[in-house]
Amino acid sequence: MTILNVTVDTSSSGRVDQIGDGSPEPEPEQSPAAADVALGVRHLCDSGITTLPDRYVLPPADRPGNISPAVLPVVDMAALRAGDPSQLATLDAACRDHGFFQVVNHGVSPEIGRAMLEAARRFFFELPLAERKRHMSGYIRAAVRYGTSFNQANDGVLSWRDFLKLLVRDARRLADDDWPREVRAAAAAHAAACQGVFRELMGAALDALGVVSRRGELLEECDAGSQMMMVNCFPACPQPELTLGMPPHSDYVLLTILLHDDVTGLEVSYGDGRWASVEAAAGAVVVNVGDHLEILSNGRYRSVVHRVRVNGRRARVSVASLHSFAAERVISPAAELVDDRDRPRRYMDTDMAAFLDYLATAEGKHKSFLHSRRINVSPSSVSSSKDDGDSCGCQFSP
Ligand SMILES: O=C(O)CCC(=O)C(=O)O
Ligand SMILES: [Fe+2]
C-alpha cells in the first residue's frame, strides 16, 4: 500500500487533523486557559483541574445518558476462510443490520494489540509535554500529528480526547521514520495486522454483496489504498457526565478496525436518540462499516454513527485503523448493486473534495456527511425495506 501525492490524508468523518486545523501551538495573545486547552486534555489534567472547563461542557441534550450494552454479532474469520457459507451470511447480516461486529479467530497474535496499547499509554502518559509537543503539526500531510478534540478548529464544544495520528505512507515499510520512536515498532506490527484483517474482510464483503466483476480490481485497490491509525487517549475526566471523548460521527472509510483497552466507552447509535455501549469478547477485534462501504454497497451496508463516553476514574486508550481506497479515488455504488428496476442508485459520487466542502460548511455536524450524499428515492422503488432512510440507525437488541 503506497500513499503518494495524496492531497489530503484520509481519515474518519469530521476530523480535520488531516486537513490542518491551524497551529496547535498557543498563540501569544491567548489567555493561559486557552493555551492549556490547545495543548490537550492530557495537559489539562496535569495542571490539576477539578472541574470541567466550560469549553468542554455539552448542552444537556447532547450529554451522554443512560444506556444498555450492545450485543455485537460475532464473525468467525476461520470459518470465513474455510468458505463456510453460513459465516458469509453472518458477515452480510452484521454489515447490513448492525454496522459494527466483532471478529474472532482472526489469527492476529494478542501480543501485537497489547504492545500497541502499551506503547500508546507510554506515549500519552509517560512522555513529558515537551516531547509530545514535538509531534504537534498543522501540516496536513504530516505522517504524524499529535492533536486534541475532534475537529479542533471547528468544534464549538471541545471533546475530551487527545490523539496521535499515524499515516501509513508505505505499507511495505511500515516503521515510518517520522512516527514517534516510542510507538514505532508496535504501531508498525499493529498496522500490518490490521491490513491483513481489512483485506480478508473486504474480500468476504464483496463476495457477500455479489460484487464479482471487479472483485480482483477492487481488492488490488484496497492493497494500494489508504490506511491511517488514530491512537486515541481519553484521560479520566473530572465531570464525565457533561462531555464526550468523541462526538457522534461515522468513519469516512471502507472499514475501521478498532483496538481498545478494557475500559468501556464506545457507544453506537440506534438512530432514534438511544445509544448502546460496545463490549467485545476478550481477544476479539471490533470492526465497523464506514461511509465508503455504505456507498459502495448502495446502502445495503450501514455506516453507523458512534461516539465515545469518558470515564471519571480510568483513562482509556484506543487505536482505530481506518482503511479505504486511495484518498483521491471517487467512490460510487458498485455496478452490480444498481439497476433501473428495483435498485436505484442511492448515493452521489463522493470524493475527498466533496467531503472537505461539506466540512467547511458543517460546523459540528459530524454525522451528516453521508446523508448529504444520499439521493432521495421513493420507498416504493426500493426493494429492501430494511433501510428506512436513516443510515445512522442500527439494531443492537439482544
Ligand atoms: O475509541 C473508540 O472506541 C472509538 C474511536 C473512533 O470511533 C474513531 O477513532 O473513529
Ligand atoms: Fe469512529
Side-chain angles (χ1 to χ4, degrees), residues 183-195:
V183 302
R184 199 177 297 155
H190 181 63
C194 289
Q195 271 175 25

Side-chain angles (χ1 to χ4, degrees), residues 182-216:
E182 295 78 10
V183 302
R184 199 177 297 155
H190 181 63
C194 289
Q195 271 175 25
V197 173
F198 165 65
R199 176 57 146 81
E200 281 197 74
L201 286 175
M202 275 306 294
L206 293 176
D207 290 342
L209 286 167
V211 175
V212 285
S213 61
R214 294 187 58 230
R215 183 183 189 278

